[in-house]
Amino acid sequence: MKSLFKLGSTSVSIRIGRMGLGVLSNAALARLMAPHDFGVLAFAIATTTLIAIPGEGGMTSLATREVVKKRVSNDLPGLRGFIYFANATVLSLSLTSVLIAALIVGILWTVSPDVRYPTLMVTLGSVIFGPMANTRAGILRGLGSPILSQIPEQIIRPGMLTLIAATAFFLGYRSIAPEWGAAMYLTSSAIAFAVGTAVLVIYYKRHVPSGDRVVQTREWLSSLLPFSLVAAVQVAMGQTAMVVLGMVRPPTDTAIFRIVTLIGDVVGFSVLALGVLEIGRAHV
């Protein structure tokens, strides 16, 4: 029970740290950008999050389930095969989503020039990094490292964004274009992705011996559908309001909505986390 409580409290601490860094990174970007431009960036990030839904397709949850199942049954060929299948599938779907989205945005940009389109073009790179990173996290959880799986996306990515934005601020940059804010976001995502990938490779080599792999494509694709539906609903619930607001209202309103939503999330999760920790202490 104590080890379970320690694991839960560590996960909660990481989540709280991510939210704190999220507030800091958004505050730093808001200081660097005009409210209008910050709203454009918030709209672009929310839109790319929705575009990334087909790329991830619920693979994160399926990866955790399948990796655990293969480990328990000592099915090493199946384990190696699934990890290959998961990464190849997500990469293929993500690249397809990026190409289709880039084509559509390019056409819209040509027909009706808008400051949102170049910013959206820059953030489209995260459509690849996000789903691949989430899949990697699911694999690491299945391999028995739930804490390590959270560090790259929960801590390193917002931490790097905060560091990059704060460095630009102290160097004297002010009123930067939203495309530069998007470039900072994409850079921090790329760094977190690189670190997380290195962690997975090292962990994989230490815990999974080399050998043949068995790929069960049809079975895994059929299992992926229910996870995809759940993941799509969860992401859509969190981002649709921002996207719709950005389409019908000025970017300044989107910026205000982004900050208020972020603060609300922090307060709500903090209250929930305190309740969970108190329950855990009472049962230890």
Side-chain angles (χ1 to χ4, degrees):
M1 180 64 75
K2 289 184 178 181
S3 61
L4 183 61
F5 173 72
K6 182 178 180 180
L7 178 62
S9 61
T10 303
S11 296
V12 169
S13 299
I14 291 175
R15 290 285 300 277
I16 293 175
R18 177 186 68 81
M19 288 190 169
L21 289 170
V23 171
L24 289 175
S25 62
N26 277 273
L29 286 172
R31 291 285 292 172
L32 284 173
M33 307 169 72
H36 174 278
D37 294 337
F38 183 71
V40 170
L41 176 61
F43 170 79
I45 292 175
T47 302
T48 52
T49 302
L50 290 179
I51 294 172
I53 290 176
E56 183 171 345
M59 187 64 80
T60 304
S61 299
L62 179 63
T64 302
R65 190 193 75 175
E66 288 297 321
V67 170
V68 170
K69 186 166 70 174
K70 302 301 182 187
R71 286 181 62 213
V72 170
S73 62
N74 200 31
D75 181 8
L76 294 180
L79 175 59
R80 288 187 287 265
F82 178 80
I83 292 175
Y84 169 81
F85 163 83
N87 285 285
T89 302
V90 171
L91 180 59
S92 300
L93 292 173
S94 298
L95 287 173
T96 301
S97 299
V98 169
L99 292 175
I100 294 174
L103 178 61
I104 294 174
V105 173
I107 293 173
L108 293 174
W109 191 359
T110 303
V111 174
S112 177
D114 190 302
V115 68
R116 292 176 298 180
Y117 296 144
T119 306
L120 191 54
M121 277 292 196
V122 177
T123 57
L124 279 178
S126 63
V127 173
I128 298 176
F129 294 136
M132 291 293 292
N134 291 334
T135 300
R136 180 203 63 232
I139 293 171
L140 280 172
R141 283 197 296 270
L143 289 174
S145 184
I147 299 301
L148 194 60
S149 69
Q150 300 177 63
I151 299 298
E153 294 304 307
Q154 304 280 346
I155 300 298
I156 294 178
R157 182 170 61 83
M160 287 304 305
L161 181 56
T162 302
L163 179 61
I164 294 170
T167 301
F169 179 79
F170 286 115
L171 289 176
Y173 289 93
R174 300 292 187 277
S175 300
I176 64 173
E179 299 94 292
W180 284 105
M184 293 179 181
Y185 173 78
L186 185 61
T187 301
S188 63
S189 298
I191 293 172
F193 176 77
V195 172
T197 301
V199 169
L200 176 59
V201 170
I202 294 172
Y203 202 86
Y204 177 83
K205 288 183 176 180
R206 287 181 178 178
H207 294 83
V208 183
S210 59
D212 296 332
R213 58 176 178 241
V214 175
V215 179
Q216 300 167 298
T217 304
R218 182 175 298 180
E219 176 185 339
W220 291 333
L221 286 178
S222 63
S223 300
L224 187 60
L225 180 59
F227 288 111
S228 300
L229 295 176
V230 173
V233 171
Q234 289 176 338
V235 174
M237 288 177 62
Q239 303 298 330
T240 302
M242 182 80 69
V243 174
V244 172
L245 182 65
M247 294 173 64
V248 301
R249 297 293 299 171
T252 304
D253 292 349
T254 308
I256 296 173
F257 181 78
R258 169 60 180 163
I259 296 298
V260 171
T261 302
L262 187 64
I263 294 174
D265 290 342
V266 171
V267 173
F269 181 78
S270 298
V271 172
L272 177 62
L274 290 174
V276 171
L277 290 176
E278 287 301 321
I279 293 173
R281 289 194 186 98
H283 289 81
V284 172

